[in-house]
Amino acid sequence: MSEDKNDEKLSVKPKKTLSLRGGGVSQGTVRQSFSHGRSKSVVVETRKRRINKPQAEAPAIEKPVAKPAPAKQEAPQPTKPSEAIPSNLSKGEMEARMRALEEAKAGEEEEARKAKEEAARRAELDERRRADREEQKRREEEAAKREEEQREAAELAASEAASVAAVEQPQRRQKHEEPKVKELKPFERKKPEEHERTSKPKGGNDRRRTKLTLSNALDEGSGRGPSLAALRRRQEKAKRAAMGQSSGPREKISREVQLPETITIQELASRMSERSVDVIKYLMKEGQMLKPGDVIDADMAELIAQEFGHTVRRVSESDVEEGLFDGPDPEGDLVSRPPVVTIMGHVDHGKTSLLDAIRKANVVKGEAGGITQHIGAYQVEQDGQKITFIDTPGHEAFTSMRARGAQATDIAILVVAADDGVMPQTIESINHAKAAGVPIIVAINKMDKEAADPNRVRTELLQHEVFVESMGGEVLDVEVSAMKGTNLDKLLETVLLQAELLELKANPNRTAEGTIIESQLDKGRGPVATVLVNRGTLHKGDIVVAGNEWGRVRALVNDLGSQVDDAGPSAPVEILGLSGAPSAGERFAVVDNEARAREISDYRQRLAREKAVAQQAGSRGSLEQMMNQLQNNDTQEAAVVVKADVQGSVEAIEQALQKLSNEEVVAKVVHGAVGGITESDVALAAASNAPILAFNVRANKQAKEAAQRDGIEIRYYSIIYDLVDDMKGVLSGMLSPERRETFLGYAEILEVFNVSKVGKVAGCRVTEGKVERGSGVRLLRDDVVIHEGKLSTLKRFKDEVAEVPAGQECGMAFENYQDIREGDQIECFRVEHIKRSL
C-alpha cells in the first residue's frame, strides 16, 4: 500500500504500524470488537484537518495594498513556524496562506477603524441631544418667567386703571400686544434648517415634521418645540390673566333636568352635562356598582341630579296626552245645543218601534227578527228644535253597549210595555241611567193593547225608586203607542222641556271632542266609526285621535246617509279615514298635526299591548303553577273564534259567553274582531281546534276553501239569541252528568253460609223497602259503613230473583267482598246519572 502525505485516511496493518508524518500528529489505541466475543487492540494516529480559507470569502486582492513592505517583513518571522505554517505545505500553498493572513489582518484593521468612527458619531449625537434638552429646558424656564411677569404686569395695570383712567387705553394695548411679542421670542432663535421648515406657507406639511419619529430624532437639524395646542392654551391663559379673570375652576352651572319614568345613567349624565364617569363614581361611593348603560328609575335619577346641584322636572310618557281634552270653555262662548236622548228598556218593549214612529221611517224592518243589534244614532226635528236619539239594544247581552249609551246621553227615555210591566232589563236600564246621572222620562208604550195597565207600571217603578209625577215624584211619564203614533208629539215636547231645565250648552267654535258610539269595518269604505260630537265642530279633513287609532277625516256621513262638511255639537255622524276600528265608548279629539296624533296612538297601543301581556303572564304563571292547575283543575274549555260586523256586537257576544261559563265549563274566546272571516281566522281556529261564530258577517272564498280543507265549522248568525242558545247547548254537553242516588231498602243478615265456587252468602231478611239485583249496596256494622259495592247474587230459595220485597228472606252475595258477619245490616240503593244543563 503506497503512502501519500496529503491523504487523511487511516491505514492499519497487523505487523507494521503506519505513521503519519508531519506536524499536529497524535497517537492512540482503539479496541475493535468482532463476532463470537473476539476483540483486538489497534494503534491509530490522527492529524488535525487542514482548513483552507475559501477565495470567495476573502475580498479581491487589489494591487496597491496598503503598506505591503511591512507585511513582507513580518511574514518570514513567525513565532511558531510549526503552528502558523505547516512544514508539509508546497510553495504555492505557502504563498496562498500568506496572502490570506495579510487580508485577514487588513480586514481587522478596517473594522476597528469603523468601530472607532461609529463611537465618535454616537458620542457627538448624544452631545447634540443633551444640548437640545438643555435648550428646551431653558426655553420653558424663560416662558414661565415671562408668564409670571405678564401676570404681575396685568395685576399692576388693573390696580392703576381705577385711579388713572387716561392711561388705561395704552396699558390695555400694551397688555394685549406684549404677550404675543414675548411668546414668539424663543421661537425666533432657530437654526437655518428649522427656519426654512417653519417658513412654509400655512397648510403645508410642517406640523408633521414636528412629530417625534426615529428619522426626526436622528436628523441633525431637528429641534422640537411645543405643540400648537400647548401654544394655544398658553395664549388663552395669558389673555384671561390680562382681562383679570381667575385661572381657577369655572363656576358650576345648575340646569333643569327632565326625568322620565326610567332613564339610563349615560343619558342622565348627558342631560346634566356631566361626565358619566363622575356619576358612576358617585354611585360606587353609595355602594352601587352600575354601568353607564344600566337603567334606573326616576327616584334614583332625581337623587343623583340633586347631588350634582341640578333641579329636576319629572315627566312621564302619559304627558303626550296633555291638552288633548281641554278644560271648560268660557261662559261667553257657550250656545244652546240639541239634547242627546237615549231610548232604553227591556227587549221587545217597543223601543225601536217608538223611534221608528218618531222618525217616520221603518227602521225596525232592517233589524233581524225585529231586534236591535247595534246602537243607532238619529236626529229628528220638533218645533224647529233638533233632538238626537240613540237607540240601544234591550237584550241582556248588550248591557255594556247600553251602559255606553247612557254615558253619552243627556236624557234617558225608559220604555216600559203597559202589558208586561217592569222586566229585568228595565231594572238594568234604570241602574245605568242613575249611574250616569241623567234624568229619566218614562214612556209607557203599547197603550193600544187591551191588557195595558199604566198604573201597574207606575206602581212597579216605585219599587226601584222611580217616582213619576202622578205618584208625587219628579219623573215625567207619557203614555204612548208606537203602533198608532199616540202622544208622540207630547213625548218630544216633554224631552224639550227637560232639556230646557238642563240648560244644555256647548262651544261650537273650537276643536271637536266627542264619543265613539259604534265602529265597524266596511268592505268598501274601510274602518267606519259612528261618533257623537260633544262640543266643538268636526270638519272634513281634521286629524282625529279615537282610542288607539288615528286618521284624517275623509268623509262625514249623517244619519240620512248624505255627506256633510262639518258636524256641530250633539250631531251624530259616521267618520271615514281612521287607521282602524276604535273600541265603542272611547273618546275622540281633534289634534293639530299628524305627528302628535301618531305619537298618542303609538303610546296607547303600547299600553294596550303591555296590559295584554301582563294579563297573559299573570294567567300563565310559573311552570309549577301550571302543573298544579292541570292536576287540580277539572275545568273544560270550549274555544271559539268570534267575528262580528261591529265592535259592540263582539263585546256583547264575549260577555254573553262569559255569563254562560261556570266552574266546570268555560267558553274561551280565542279571538274576537270586527270584519269578515279571512284565511288567518281559519288558521287560528284550526290551531286552537275552535269553531268560528260569525255574526252578520260572511267568509270569503279563500276562507271557505281553507275551512273545508281543515275541517273547521263556520256558523252564521243574525240574531244573538240563537248564538247564545247554541253555545249553551255545547257547554251543557260538556258538563259531567249528575249522579243521583235513590234509596231502595234495608236487609238484616241472619246467618252466613259458605258456598263452594261462590264464597260467603248472607241469609237475610228484608226489613224495609225492597232489594233489587244489580243495585248498589252498603254494608253497615254498628251503623258504620264497612263496604260499598254492588250486589252480585240475589236468591230466594234456589232461584235467582229480580227483587225481594220487605218481610221476605233471601240470600245475597257481594262482588269481590267476603267479610260479612251475622247481625250486619245491608243498605240497598239505586244510582242514576242525569244529564245536566246550564
Side-chain angles (χ1 to χ4, degrees):
M1 187 176 183
S2 62
E3 295 182 11
D4 190 357
K5 56 184 175 182
N6 293 329
D7 192 0
E8 296 180 3
K9 293 185 178 179
L10 178 65
S11 178
V12 179
K13 288 205 173 182
K15 293 184 179 180
K16 185 178 179 180
T17 302
L18 297 179
S19 176
L20 296 172
R21 288 179 288 181
V25 178
S26 61
Q27 189 174 9
T29 59
V30 176
R31 191 169 189 82
Q32 291 182 340
S33 298
F34 301 95
S35 62
H36 305 289
R38 291 179 298 147
S39 63
K40 183 179 179 180
S41 296
V42 181
V43 179
V44 296
E45 292 180 352
T46 59
R47 185 182 66 186
K48 291 184 180 179
R49 187 171 182 178
R50 184 174 59 205
I51 301 174
N52 293 329
K53 191 171 183 181
Q55 295 295 330
E57 294 181 5
I61 301 173
E62 299 177 359
K63 294 297 181 180
V65 181
K67 298 181 182 180
K72 289 181 181 179
Q73 292 174 3
E74 294 174 5
Q77 298 176 3
T79 307
K80 294 180 181 180
S82 60
E83 293 181 5
I85 305 173
S87 60
N88 58 352
L89 296 179
S90 62
K91 186 178 180 180
E93 291 174 349
M94 184 75 71
E95 293 176 356
R97 176 66 59 87
M98 293 297 294
R99 284 194 302 270
L101 289 174
E102 292 173 359
E103 291 168 2
K105 189 174 182 180
E108 289 175 359
E109 291 176 355
E110 182 67 22
E111 288 179 1
R113 185 185 61 79
K114 288 183 178 178
K116 188 180 294 184
E117 292 178 357
E118 180 68 20
R121 194 179 68 81
R122 288 181 179 275
E124 184 182 357
L125 182 60
D126 292 340
E127 182 67 22
R128 189 183 300 117
R129 288 180 179 172
R130 187 184 61 79
D132 290 342
R133 285 196 295 270
E134 290 178 355
E135 178 69 17
Q136 179 69 19
K137 185 177 180 181
R138 185 183 61 79
R139 289 176 181 175
E140 291 178 355
E141 291 176 354
E142 290 180 358
K145 187 176 180 181
R146 283 195 304 273
E147 288 178 5
E148 186 67 25
E149 292 175 356
Q150 290 169 4
R151 189 178 298 108
E152 292 176 359
E155 292 176 358
L156 182 61
S159 62
E160 292 178 354
S163 58
V164 187
V167 193
E168 184 181 5
Q169 191 65 24
Q171 286 181 349
R172 184 175 299 174
R173 189 181 301 112
Q174 182 181 2
K175 281 186 290 181
H176 283 283
E177 294 174 356
E178 187 178 0
K180 296 184 179 179
V181 177
K182 289 186 178 182
E183 283 292 331
L184 295 177
K185 275 184 181 179
F187 299 100
E188 292 173 358
R189 304 174 191 158
K190 296 179 181 178
K191 297 181 181 181
E193 296 86 359
E194 294 176 352
H195 182 71
E196 290 175 3
R197 283 200 299 269
T198 55
S199 61
K200 291 182 180 180
K202 187 177 180 181
N205 243 349
D206 53 343
R207 289 189 63 186
R208 295 187 181 180
R209 295 295 300 273
T210 60
K211 291 184 179 179
L212 184 59
T213 61
L214 187 60
S215 59
N216 289 343
L218 297 177
D219 193 4
E220 293 182 359
S222 63
R224 189 166 185 265
S227 64
L228 294 178
L231 178 61
R232 192 177 297 112
R233 286 195 298 270
R234 197 169 297 160
Q235 290 175 349
E236 290 290 334
K237 187 175 180 182
K239 186 182 292 184
R240 288 198 301 269
M243 297 296 292
Q245 296 179 0
S246 175
S247 59
R250 297 181 182 178
E251 184 181 354
K252 190 174 184 65
I253 301 175
S254 178
R255 293 178 171 82
E256 184 184 46
V257 183
Q258 291 187 359
L259 294 182
E261 296 173 358
T262 57
I263 189 173
T264 62
I265 295 177
Q266 189 169 4
E267 177 65 20
L268 174 63
S270 175
R271 295 188 181 189
M272 296 190 301
S273 296
E274 304 283 352
R275 296 191 308 164
S276 57
V277 178
D278 297 336
V279 181
I280 295 296
K281 287 181 180 178
Y282 167 72
L283 291 173
M284 290 175 67
K285 290 179 182 177
E286 297 296 324
Q288 297 192 17
M289 303 296 292
L290 297 175
K291 302 186 295 296
D294 290 342
V295 179
I296 58 177
D297 58 4
D299 295 333
M300 182 181 291
E302 184 175 359
L303 291 175
I304 295 172
Q306 291 176 354
E307 184 68 24
F308 279 82
H310 302 286
T311 58
V312 172
R313 185 166 68 90
R314 299 281 286 267
V315 297
S316 62
E317 292 185 357
S318 59
D319 292 344
V320 298
E321 296 185 349
E322 284 187 0
L324 186 62
F325 300 101
D326 294 333
D329 297 311
E331 193 69 28
D333 298 338
L334 302 179
V335 297
S336 298
R337 64 173 178 85
V340 179
V341 181
T342 300
I343 298 182
M344 309 173 77
H346 190 70
V347 61
D348 200 28
H349 272 202
K351 301 182 300 298
T352 308
S353 300
L354 182 62
L355 183 60
D356 176 29
I358 293 173
R359 294 179 61 230
K360 297 182 176 59
N362 199 357
V363 176
V364 75
K365 289 184 179 179
E367 302 287 353
I371 304 165
T372 303
Q373 310 289 338
H374 316 131
I375 294 180
Y378 314 101
Q379 204 165 35
V380 299
E381 192 169 340
Q382 174 72 16
D383 297 335
Q385 298 182 11
K386 290 185 177 180
I387 304 174
T388 301
F389 282 94
I390 299 178
D391 185 20
T392 60
H395 190 267
E396 61 180 354
F398 294 91
T399 301
S400 62
M401 297 172 66
R402 196 165 55 244
R404 284 197 297 270
Q407 290 171 2
T409 189
D410 302 315
I411 301 170
I413 293 181
L414 183 64
V415 178
V416 186
D419 55 346
D420 282 350
V422 176
M423 303 297 284
Q425 277 73 48
T426 310
I427 301 171
E428 286 186 12
S429 300
I430 294 171
N431 295 333
H432 288 316
K434 288 183 176 179
V438 295
I440 298 175
I441 297 176
V442 179
I444 304 175
N445 195 20
K446 301 185 179 181
M447 289 298 297
D448 56 308
K449 288 193 173 182
E450 295 181 359
D453 187 359
N455 291 326
R456 172 195 165 195
V457 173
R458 295 186 180 98
T459 306
E460 291 177 352
L461 289 174
L462 293 176
Q463 301 175 8
H464 304 287
E465 298 181 359
V466 178
F467 306 106
V468 297
E469 281 187 333
S470 57
M471 297 286 187
E474 296 180 354
V475 177
L476 302 175
D477 64 309
V478 182
E479 299 177 3
V480 296
S481 172
M483 294 294 294
K484 299 188 176 180
T486 309
N487 288 338
L488 296 183
D489 293 340
K490 184 179 179 182
L491 178 63
L492 294 179
E493 290 174 0
T494 306
V495 169
L496 292 176
L497 176 62
Q498 186 69 52
E500 229 178 277
L501 297 174
L502 294 176
E503 295 183 354
L504 303 174
K505 293 183 179 181
N507 180 14
N509 302 319
R510 51 156 297 155
T511 56
E513 295 177 12
T515 309
I516 306 293
I517 301 297
E518 193 52 82
S519 64
Q520 60 181 335
L521 284 173
D522 192 279
K523 187 174 182 180
R525 300 186 297 173
V528 179
T530 303
V531 302
L532 181 68
V533 181
N534 293 339
R535 59 179 183 171
T537 303
L538 181 63
H539 300 276
K540 183 178 178 181
D542 285 345
I543 300 171
V544 175
V545 176
N548 298 343
E549 310 297 337
W550 73 280
R552 187 182 294 273
V553 179
R554 291 191 288 109
L556 293 172
V557 183
N558 62 7
D559 57 325
L560 301 177
S562 57
Q563 292 195 12
V564 293
D565 293 333
D566 50 41
S570 302
V573 289
E574 288 183 341
I575 58 175
L576 284 69
L578 295 178
S579 57
S583 299
E586 295 280 357
R587 297 177 67 188
F588 79 90
V590 175
V591 295
D592 299 333
N593 49 51
E594 293 185 4
R596 190 180 180 210
R598 190 180 290 107
E599 186 180 10
I600 296 173
S601 176
D602 292 344
Y603 165 70
R604 291 180 174 179
Q605 290 176 4
R606 185 168 63 254
L607 280 186
R609 285 195 301 268
E610 291 174 357
K611 184 178 179 181
V613 169
Q615 290 178 351
Q616 192 173 9
S619 62
R620 285 179 182 168
S622 63
L623 183 61
E624 185 178 355
Q625 292 174 351
M626 293 174 63
M627 295 299 295
N628 292 336
Q629 288 178 1
L630 290 174
Q631 292 175 0
N632 303 328
N633 193 6
D634 297 331
T635 304
Q636 300 185 29
E637 289 186 350
V640 294
V641 176
V642 177
K643 294 301 290 289
D645 52 346
V646 294
Q647 184 69 28
S649 300
V650 176
E651 295 181 7
I653 294 171
E654 289 179 350
Q655 290 183 0
L657 297 181
Q658 188 176 359
K659 286 185 178 181
L660 290 177
S661 304
N662 58 17
E663 296 179 355
E664 295 184 35
V665 291
V666 174
K668 181 180 179 181
V669 179
V670 178
H671 177 61
V674 176
I677 301 171
T678 60
E679 285 183 276
S680 61
D681 298 327
V682 177
L684 178 60
S688 307
N689 195 20
I692 299 176
L693 307 181
F695 187 75
N696 286 339
V697 293
R698 292 293 181 268
N700 56 30
K701 183 180 178 182
Q702 294 82 359
K704 288 180 181 177
E705 294 174 354
Q708 291 177 358
R709 183 177 63 250
D710 298 338
I712 300 301
E713 182 184 10
I714 302 177
R715 309 200 70 169
Y716 300 100
Y717 299 94
S718 58
I719 300 177
I720 197 171
Y721 295 133
D722 300 338
L723 187 149
V724 174
D725 290 343
D726 287 354
M727 285 304 300
K728 187 175 181 180
V730 170
L731 295 178
S732 299
M734 295 172 63
L735 291 171
S736 58
E738 181 182 357
R739 184 178 182 271
R740 183 176 297 176
E741 185 179 300
T742 304
F743 172 76
L744 294 178
Y746 282 113
E748 183 182 358
I749 299 177
L750 303 177
E751 194 173 352
V752 178
F753 304 96
N754 285 321
V755 180
S756 60
K757 297 182 182 180
V758 177
K760 291 185 177 181
V761 176
C764 307
R765 179 187 293 116
V766 180
T767 59
E768 183 181 345
K770 63 179 180 178
V771 177
E772 294 181 353
R773 186 177 60 189
S775 61
V777 289
R778 292 189 184 94
L779 182 64
L780 306 179
R781 185 174 298 161
D782 298 331
D783 294 332
V784 177
V785 178
I786 302 300
H787 171 70
E788 182 174 345
K790 193 175 181 182
L791 192 64
S792 61
T793 301
L794 180 63
K795 288 188 177 183
R796 180 160 172 76
F797 300 106
K798 293 185 178 181
D799 300 329
E800 284 278 351
V801 293
E803 63 179 40
V804 176
Q808 296 185 0
E809 296 182 354
C810 61
M812 290 189 287
F814 296 165
E815 283 187 359
N816 303 323
Y817 192 75
Q818 302 294 323
D819 185 18
I820 54 178
R821 300 178 187 177
E822 189 175 322
D824 291 348
Q825 270 195 339
I826 298 174
E827 179 185 354
C828 188
F829 59 90
R830 184 191 304 125
V831 177
E832 297 176 343
H833 292 281
I834 301 174
K835 187 177 180 182
R836 298 164 60 198
S837 62
L838 293 173

